[in-house]
Amino acid sequence: MSSPGDLPDAEVVPKKRWRIPWIWVVPAVAVLIGIWLAVQTVLEKGPTVTISFKTGEGLEAGKTKIKFKDVEIGIVKSVVLSKDYTRVVATAELTRDTANMLVDDTRFWVVRPRVAGGSVSGIGTLLSGAYIGMDIGRGKDARRDYTGLETPPVFASDVPGRQFVLRAADLGSVDVGTPIYFRRLQVGQVTAFELDKDGSGVTLHVFINSPYDRYVNADSRFWQASGLDVTLSTDGLKVNTQSLVSMLIGGLAFETPAASLSWAQAPANTTFTLFQTRSEALRVHEHIVETYVFNFTGSVRGLAVGAPVEFRGIPIGEVAAINTRFDPVTRQISIPVEVKLYPERFTSRFESGPKKGRLTNDPKALANFLVANGLRAQLRTGSLLTGQLYVALEFFPDAKKASIDWSRTPPEMPTTPSGLASLQDSINRIMTRIDKLPIEQLTASAQQTLDNTSALMQNLNTQVVPQATNTLAAARAALEAAHSTLLPGSGLQQDTTEAIRELTRTAASFRSLADYLQEHPEALLRGKPEDKK
């Protein structure tokens, strides 16, 4: 057994370090680079959005690009059908810097060749292919799934201007992109339209570009300016149009009356009424309207709804309705014409008086006073060319006494026949008197007169005419004898010439005697001196 001193001493050997073989350096560097690239890719990867469309026309996975202001910002990765197979869902990856652009009201649409509203867009896609356009919204809430627009928006969200709403009875020739004119300048366009839920009309959304939107206030009037606006009224034929473009593709126009040019600008999304014509749009908006009925017994051919009601040439109302009425008591049919009168048309003519309101605080008493003094309604011809009629309110002092029937609703004002109707009545009265004449007795008397006249003419032919012929022959013989006597060379003519000569010589002798007596007046008593020898 060995003793402890026989054991060898322990030596401390340092631990060897673990070293990576050089062969692993390259794979390690590759892994690190891959990790860095992966992290970089994740960090630089943009948001992914889904956009649904009705159809997949023009959409191709890996090819269709997404552009904003013609700058590529993404690409479509996949195109699949929705779960209910009603739409097409496109999944697209966008660049990282587009994250702030994806808000609640951001819009997407497919850009392809399109013709609408007289404008052509997307022609460049014929060569490059369709792409998805994008417009940034103004919202603040982030969003990643969208419903694409079927038609491109008319204007971008960053275009200055204001949107307004128009209400119309029908769409007419309006389409998305239809131009809007102000004093024949194109200042905006139609952005969208839709049928009202109750089907009573159409709602249009329009956009007026800046700075022209400042000319729109609460009293502005919009109307259809499509094609030719031809109006045939009591004033004759009128033709209005905005431009050749509006004649071909349609258009809208607006104007603000001069009396309201100083009004404040209308706020965005203000609702206006879209009128059919300019004349209808610029018609004065009345605040007070009174309804009356004028009951005519004659024909109202040529009178139409909308025809003016005038007082001494001033329009004070218009025809609202034309009806018929049968009176069971008199068993007669009349034509009640319902009219709307505007009392403010009288007060607005005063320079120093009120511009609005009624002419008096007691309109019923005023109406009774005017009717009592001969105020009547009468149909008159407004134009011989068109034959259209209008209602005239005039004073007829000789008219029969009448009053307003306030028991009816609306109240009924008295009328008087028109001038043509009065002439027709006069002719009818004359014909009635002629009918009452004893035509047969007059005919017999006329026949007797004709027989007497025929007998007289026969007597003249048998008795008077021969005697008159003899008398004329004798007169002719006398005239011929006188003519032959007066011919040059006749005996009477020679005798007359000789007598005239003798008279001439006698006159000369008297002239010599007169001259001698003037020189020797004493010769009347004494005679000539030669005679005394």
Side-chain angles (χ1 to χ4, degrees):
M1 181 174 182
S2 303
S3 61
D6 295 335
L7 294 174
D9 296 331
E11 295 180 359
V12 179
V13 178
K15 186 177 180 180
K16 295 182 179 180
R17 295 182 179 179
W18 182 82
R19 296 180 181 180
I20 300 176
W22 288 103
I23 195 173
W24 292 103
V25 173
V26 175
V29 172
V31 171
L32 293 175
I33 293 175
I35 295 174
W36 180 82
L37 290 175
V39 173
Q40 189 72 15
T41 300
V42 173
L43 294 176
E44 292 183 355
K45 184 179 179 180
T48 300
V49 297
T50 57
I51 311 169
S52 66
F53 297 96
K54 285 187 177 181
T55 65
E57 180 184 0
L59 300 179
E60 293 185 45
K63 293 184 178 181
T64 303
K65 300 177 182 179
I66 299 178
K67 295 183 179 181
F68 173 70
K69 294 184 180 296
D70 291 332
V71 176
E72 183 180 343
I73 60 173
I75 191 170
V76 174
K77 292 297 184 179
S78 66
V79 179
V80 297
L81 293 173
S82 61
K83 293 181 180 180
D84 56 0
Y85 308 110
T86 59
R87 298 183 68 85
V88 174
V89 180
T91 303
E93 286 187 5
L94 304 181
T95 58
R96 185 179 59 178
D97 54 356
T98 61
N100 296 330
M101 303 166 62
L102 301 174
V103 293
D104 187 62
D105 54 348
T106 296
R107 299 177 291 182
F108 294 90
W109 67 94
V110 178
V111 179
R112 57 174 69 96
R114 192 183 306 270
V115 178
S119 61
V120 180
S121 61
I123 297 298
T125 59
L126 292 173
L127 299 177
S128 62
Y131 63 90
I132 297 177
M134 173 182 171
D135 181 50
I136 304 176
R138 298 182 180 181
K140 296 182 179 180
D141 297 334
R143 184 177 175 181
R144 293 295 183 270
D145 58 322
Y146 297 91
T147 300
L149 303 176
E150 297 305 318
T151 58
V154 179
F155 64 95
S157 58
D158 58 348
V159 175
R162 282 179 293 167
Q163 292 192 77
F164 301 100
V165 179
L166 304 182
R167 299 293 305 276
D170 56 71
L171 187 62
S173 58
V174 177
D175 195 2
V176 174
T178 296
I180 299 176
Y181 297 93
F182 175 71
R183 303 190 183 280
R184 289 186 171 84
L185 294 175
Q186 184 174 345
V187 298
Q189 53 278 323
V190 176
T191 61
F193 58 84
E194 59 185 357
L195 183 68
D196 295 342
K197 294 182 179 180
D198 57 359
S200 60
V202 178
T203 299
L204 295 89
H205 299 272
V206 300
F207 184 81
I208 306 299
N209 301 319
S210 179
Y212 305 107
D213 59 333
R214 63 179 178 175
Y215 300 112
V216 181
N217 60 33
D219 198 33
S220 296
R221 318 289 174 82
F222 289 80
W223 69 88
Q224 295 265 10
S226 304
L228 289 175
D229 180 11
V230 181
T231 303
L232 190 63
S233 63
T234 57
D235 297 330
L237 183 66
K238 294 182 179 179
V239 180
N240 295 315
T241 184
Q242 286 296 319
S243 67
L244 181 61
V245 175
S246 64
M247 293 174 58
L248 297 177
I249 66 173
L252 306 180
F254 75 92
E255 188 174 335
T256 302
S260 56
L261 288 175
S262 59
W263 289 19
Q265 299 180 19
N269 298 319
T270 301
T271 301
F272 297 91
T273 299
L274 180 63
F275 296 93
Q276 291 293 327
T277 61
R278 180 177 183 273
S279 58
E280 183 181 355
L282 296 181
R283 186 178 300 170
V284 178
H285 291 181
E286 305 296 337
H287 299 87
I288 303 177
V289 180
E290 294 181 349
T291 304
Y292 290 90
V293 169
F294 300 148
N295 193 28
F296 296 100
T297 57
S299 174
V300 295
R301 180 181 177 86
L303 185 68
V305 174
V309 178
E310 298 184 357
F311 174 73
R312 294 182 177 177
I314 300 176
I316 61 170
E318 63 180 12
V319 175
I322 302 175
N323 304 302
T324 57
R325 177 193 298 168
F326 176 73
D327 191 340
V329 178
T330 61
R331 306 189 68 81
Q332 293 182 350
I333 298 177
S334 58
I335 311 297
V337 177
E338 183 177 326
V339 301
K340 295 184 181 298
L341 301 182
Y342 310 127
E344 291 181 310
R345 297 288 181 93
F346 291 95
T347 57
S348 62
R349 264 64 182 181
F350 284 108
E351 295 183 358
S352 59
K355 300 299 181 182
K356 296 183 179 181
R358 299 179 182 273
L359 188 63
T360 177
N361 294 328
D362 192 354
K364 186 175 181 179
L366 177 61
N368 290 331
F369 172 77
L370 296 176
V371 171
N373 284 271
L375 182 67
R376 299 290 187 273
Q378 184 185 60
L379 291 178
R380 293 183 179 179
T381 302
S383 174
L384 295 176
L385 177 64
T386 63
Q388 291 186 333
L389 301 178
Y390 71 97
V391 180
L393 285 177
E394 293 288 348
F395 286 97
F396 298 89
D398 299 332
K400 295 182 180 180
K401 291 185 178 180
S403 60
I404 301 177
D405 188 357
W406 296 102
S407 62
R408 294 182 179 272
T409 303
E412 185 173 313
M413 295 185 67
T415 62
T416 186
S418 62
L420 184 60
S422 300
L423 178 60
Q424 186 175 359
D425 293 340
S426 300
I427 295 175
N428 291 335
R429 288 195 296 269
I430 294 174
M431 295 302 297
T432 302
R433 292 180 181 179
I434 293 175
D435 291 339
K436 293 181 180 180
L437 293 175
I439 302 298
E440 296 181 355
Q441 297 178 5
L442 292 176
T443 303
S445 299
Q447 185 63 38
Q448 183 64 33
T449 302
L450 290 175
D451 293 340
N452 294 334
T453 303
S454 178
L456 178 61
M457 294 301 295
Q458 185 176 3
N459 186 23
L460 290 174
N461 290 332
T462 57
Q463 299 181 9
V464 178
V465 172
Q467 296 180 3
T469 302
N470 296 332
T471 303
L472 290 175
R476 178 178 294 177
L479 289 174
E480 290 178 355
H483 180 68
S484 61
T485 302
L486 295 176
L487 286 174
S490 63
L492 180 60
Q493 182 72 15
Q494 293 177 358
D495 294 341
T496 302
T497 302
E498 188 63 30
I500 291 174
R501 290 175 180 173
E502 289 296 331
L503 287 175
T504 302
R505 289 193 291 270
T506 302
S509 298
F510 274 108
R511 189 180 295 108
S512 299
L513 178 60
D515 293 339
Y516 180 80
L517 290 177
Q518 186 175 2
E519 294 178 359
H520 306 280
E522 70 277 3
L524 292 173
L525 298 177
R526 299 177 182 179
K528 289 184 178 181
E530 293 80 5
D531 295 338
K532 291 181 181 181
K533 294 180 179 180

